[in-house]
Amino acid sequence: MKPLLFFILFSCSIYGQSEYPQDYFRHPLDIPLVLSGTFAELRSSHFHGGLDIKTQRKQGLKVYTAAEGYVSRIKISHFGYGKAIYITHPNGYTTVYGHLKKLSDRFEEYIKQCQYDKESYEVEVFPHSEELLVAANEVIAFSGNTGSSGGPHLHFEIRDNQERPINPLLFGMKVKDSKQPYVSAVFAYPKDENASINGKNERTQLRLIPQKSGDYTVEKITAYGDIGFGVTSYDKQDLAPNNNGVSNIQTIFNGNKSIEVDFKRFSFEETKHIKRYVDYNYYKTKKSKIQKLFIEQNNPLSLYKDVHDNGYVSVEDSTATVYKIRIRDYHNNETWVTVPIEGKPLVVKKDSLIDESNKTLIYSDQSTTLTSGLITVNFYENTLYDDEFVDFEVNSDTLFLHEDKIPLQKNFYINYDLTKYKSEHQDKIFISKLYGYYKRPNYIKTTRKGNVLSARSKTFGTFALAMDTISPTIKPINFQDKKWLSKYRYLKVKIEDDLSGISKYRATVNGQWILMEYDYKTKTLIHDFNDNIVKNTKNELKIIVTDNVGNSSTFEATFYRK
């Protein structure tokens, strides 16, 4: 049974939904609202900006505008949201619909005209407020799996007039959820060298003891000094097995609130700082996200409320104290974690000290340039969150720049001098990041100025020069040269590049540009004959595909239609 004191203390903090209109927006699909992703859910490099709504593993479900308004933006891209439409409403909010298979007929006609005008599949347009009006309950699109989607679903957002995403459930949309959040791990962190947990001056995982109520206690710990805590927690809903994000976390030390993390709204500018919110080192090594319930320097997140001493608690000698964590989902299902603490000033040094004699110190508030041989790396001010000792080693054309265990705020810049390479080879060289057991090179965007190649990265790792002299491949999927295609609606071609990757492509029929949608997941180009561009009986198809270092391949074929 939960203490009445805590119920009274926090009953007033239940979301005040009255500040958001409750009956204005409808659910954008006509099936039950079941989520595969919740608002502000922790992703690898950002907080999730909306709801991921399940579409029953199907594509092509009708997508309705959440309310009347006008189309203020349409963006078609290979990655990200894929095909996305943005609708601005009279009340000032904007709704976003992403990963669409296609738009409704009038919007599809509009955007295809833009694509043909610009001769590009990827376009972004901003219609004026009177150009594309939409009514309430109008079908504006059909659900799909375009862009960086891991499976068919609809990504749905509500943004305010400052383009800040807000949890759509605050507007009265209903999800069936009667389950408590669950906790898989709790950790304690010493703030500095004067603090200890169970006799150690290092991050310490605490032993969880599940209770019949669904809450947890932790085996009593001994601690001393300023201590922070972290938790790994998830929420599950009634109709989906997904591990979703929670909505609110509060901590209490001896009856007083220490910190609150409220996932109600954030800005896109700050979402990259998820690397500061989670324990990045632990995530990169263990593939699990610990949410740090304390605030370190250079953490600009706006998610925090009622912060006392940056969320740290001070444990004194010979004291008996209690730390509590209250975790809630949006529907106020809650789970408590209780941590009993005995104050005991015992500090044992870490088992092994890190040898920093061969490392390079990079200050977070200063610019730093590292040079070895023909390689230069530039760190500008505030690239790192903290001052860090990093590994920096160059072996021939390979740059070893620490492991990807330290979070970065901004990109650093790598420069290679190509003077020693023959001029005829320089155009085919790019900077790659090496991944996996076999250290396979992966292209990162590379620019060249004179004899210097440059690239940027927001993660540490191993980098090397790679050379790509092989052109992309182009293979027809559903047709052959000099065949009739009268019964086909689509023309399909597979394009691949084995090293630097596809940069661009261009397709024409009888010399006229045709729209071919590119699905990078299946490596397929698709032309829809319903575009009514192909009108001749005999048609000459030409496709040119170019990789990221300029190698090109040309495919030509003749086909017939009537």
Side-chain angles (χ1 to χ4, degrees):
M1 181 176 179
K2 298 177 177 62
L4 180 61
L5 171 62
F6 290 126
F7 177 80
I8 295 173
L9 179 62
F10 293 109
S11 62
C12 61
S13 66
I14 293 175
Y15 290 124
Q17 296 184 355
S18 60
E19 63 179 299
Y20 300 102
Q22 294 300 289
D23 299 314
Y24 193 89
F25 294 119
R26 61 154 288 174
H27 168 26
L29 300 173
D30 53 11
I31 59 174
L33 185 60
V34 181
L35 303 181
S36 60
T38 51
F39 182 78
E41 192 170 85
L42 309 182
R43 300 294 170 88
S44 60
S45 61
H46 62 280
F47 296 100
H48 188 227
L51 303 179
D52 282 347
I53 305 174
K54 287 177 176 283
T55 55
Q56 301 174 340
R57 300 181 181 179
K58 302 175 185 176
Q59 298 189 53
L61 299 186
K62 292 179 180 179
V63 177
Y64 297 86
T65 179
E68 68 174 347
Y70 68 93
V71 176
S72 53
R73 181 184 179 191
I74 301 175
K75 185 174 182 180
I76 311 295
S77 57
H78 298 138
F79 303 100
Y81 291 173
K83 295 183 180 182
I85 188 167
Y86 299 68
I87 296 179
T88 297
H89 305 277
N91 63 355
Y93 293 101
T94 296
T95 50
V96 183
Y97 315 75
H99 306 306
L100 304 170
K101 181 177 183 180
K102 62 174 292 186
L103 309 184
S104 62
D105 288 346
R106 69 182 178 112
F107 299 142
E108 190 77 7
E109 181 181 350
Y110 176 91
I111 200 62
K112 281 196 173 183
Q113 186 61 55
C114 296
Q115 290 171 314
Y116 276 97
D117 288 345
K118 297 181 179 181
E119 295 191 354
S120 173
Y121 170 70
E122 292 193 302
V123 294
E124 183 175 16
V125 295
F126 299 87
H128 61 73
S129 59
E130 300 297 324
E131 192 171 1
L132 296 176
L133 298 176
V134 293
N137 301 314
E138 179 177 343
V139 176
I140 55 171
F142 299 88
S143 67
N145 187 32
T146 57
S148 303
S149 169
H153 71 276
L154 175 67
H155 176 86
F156 177 70
E157 294 179 17
I158 298 180
R159 301 181 183 181
D160 65 15
N161 57 12
Q162 298 180 51
E163 282 293 301
R164 294 177 300 186
I166 304 171
N167 189 347
L169 297 183
L170 288 164
F171 293 81
M173 295 184 183
K174 305 297 184 184
V175 175
K176 191 173 182 181
D177 184 0
S178 61
K179 297 183 178 181
Q180 292 176 255
Y182 74 93
V183 176
S184 62
V186 175
F187 298 80
Y189 292 76
K191 182 180 180 182
D192 51 38
E193 66 277 5
N194 299 315
S196 65
I197 303 105
N198 290 340
K200 297 181 180 180
N201 181 241
E202 60 189 29
R203 179 188 61 212
T204 302
Q205 184 167 0
L206 311 182
R207 192 170 77 86
L208 275 175
I209 305 172
Q211 306 295 296
K212 291 182 179 180
S213 63
D215 296 331
Y216 302 82
T217 61
V218 168
E219 188 175 57
K220 185 168 70 173
I221 65 172
T222 60
Y224 182 77
D226 293 336
I227 305 296
F229 289 86
V231 64
T232 303
S233 60
Y234 304 97
D235 183 45
K236 284 186 179 291
Q237 295 161 5
D238 291 4
L239 302 178
N242 306 75
N243 290 330
N244 295 130
V246 301
S247 187
N248 183 277
I249 303 176
Q250 299 171 5
T251 68
I252 307 97
F253 184 58
N254 289 341
N256 297 309
K257 184 187 284 190
S258 179
I259 196 171
E260 179 177 352
V261 190
D262 189 14
F263 299 100
K264 182 167 61 176
R265 181 182 67 192
F266 58 84
S267 71
F268 286 111
E269 176 62 27
E270 66 181 306
T271 188
K272 62 186 177 183
H273 295 292
I274 188 174
K275 293 181 178 182
R276 197 54 162 167
Y277 175 64
V278 303
D279 186 327
Y280 189 77
N281 181 296
Y282 191 86
Y283 167 62
K284 298 304 291 189
T285 55
K286 304 292 186 181
K287 307 305 178 187
S288 177
K289 299 182 182 74
I290 303 171
Q291 302 177 73
K292 294 184 293 189
L293 305 178
F294 52 91
I295 304 174
E296 299 161 296
Q297 68 174 5
N298 294 322
N299 182 339
L301 290 172
S302 63
L303 303 172
Y304 303 109
K305 296 168 57 177
D306 299 333
V307 179
H308 180 71
D309 288 341
N310 285 326
Y312 291 99
V313 299
S314 182
V315 180
E316 299 178 353
D317 184 18
S318 302
T319 57
T321 54
V322 176
Y323 182 87
K324 287 180 175 285
I325 307 171
R326 184 196 196 201
I327 303 165
R328 288 187 297 164
D329 61 25
Y330 174 78
H331 295 86
N332 289 313
N333 301 302
E334 63 179 38
T335 298
W336 289 76
V337 180
T338 300
V339 184
I341 307 171
E342 177 186 354
K344 191 174 182 180
L346 175 63
V347 178
V348 177
K349 291 185 178 180
K350 296 178 183 178
D351 294 336
S352 59
L353 296 176
I354 299 174
D355 182 9
E356 297 173 340
S357 60
N358 294 322
K359 297 180 183 291
T360 301
L361 177 60
I362 300 178
Y363 292 99
S364 61
D365 61 351
Q366 298 178 19
S367 295
T368 302
T369 299
L370 308 179
T371 302
S372 179
L374 299 178
I375 300 176
T376 300
V377 183
N378 294 315
F379 294 87
Y380 294 106
E381 183 180 350
N382 295 322
T383 298
L384 280 71
Y385 287 99
D386 299 301
D387 300 342
E388 299 281 2
F389 283 94
V390 302
D391 294 308
F392 172 70
E393 180 183 350
V394 173
N395 183 0
S396 184
D397 290 329
T398 301
L399 165 65
F400 302 94
L401 192 55
H402 212 76
E403 293 183 76
D404 181 17
K405 296 180 180 179
I406 298 175
L408 302 177
Q409 296 192 66
K410 301 189 298 188
N411 291 299
F412 59 87
Y413 296 83
I414 305 169
N415 302 287
Y416 277 81
D417 188 333
L418 300 182
T419 304
K420 70 176 185 178
Y421 285 90
K422 295 180 180 180
S423 58
E424 61 266 29
H425 294 158
Q426 291 183 3
D427 287 342
K428 304 304 179 184
I429 298 173
F430 62 93
I431 299 174
S432 67
K433 188 172 184 182
L434 306 185
Y435 287 96
Y437 179 81
Y438 294 103
K439 299 298 181 184
R440 176 177 170 81
N442 284 258
Y443 175 86
I444 56 178
K445 186 175 182 180
T446 304
T447 58
R448 179 182 169 191
K449 187 174 183 180
N451 289 328
V452 177
L453 280 187
S454 299
R456 61 185 182 179
S457 176
K458 198 178 285 186
T459 57
F460 286 126
T462 302
F463 303 84
L465 292 183
M467 182 179 294
D468 185 0
T469 59
I470 301 175
S471 299
T473 60
I474 308 172
K475 296 179 181 179
I477 295 177
N478 66 339
F479 69 96
Q480 295 177 328
D481 188 28
K482 297 181 181 178
K483 296 294 183 180
W484 285 86
L485 300 180
S486 300
K487 297 181 180 180
Y488 289 82
R489 175 174 174 178
Y490 298 103
L491 183 71
K492 298 181 179 181
V493 176
K494 188 169 187 175
I495 61 174
E496 294 183 90
D497 188 78
D498 193 46
L499 191 52
S500 64
I502 302 296
S503 171
K504 58 185 178 180
Y505 62 91
R506 180 179 176 84
T508 59
V509 169
N510 302 325
Q512 183 176 3
W513 185 87
I514 61 169
L515 174 64
M516 296 199 81
E517 299 190 3
Y518 177 47
D519 183 351
Y520 76 93
K521 301 185 188 79
T522 59
K523 303 176 183 179
T524 305
L525 293 176
I526 302 175
H527 173 70
D528 186 349
F529 286 123
N530 282 359
D531 287 359
N532 202 30
I533 300 298
V534 179
K535 299 179 180 179
N536 296 348
T537 300
K538 181 180 180 180
N539 298 279
E540 303 293 339
L541 171 67
K542 184 176 182 179
I543 302 174
I544 301 173
V545 180
T546 307
D547 67 20
N548 279 299
V549 296
N551 298 306
S552 291
S553 294
T554 300
F555 172 84
E556 295 182 283
T558 301
F559 65 87
Y560 300 89
R561 282 178 64 83
K562 64 178 180 179

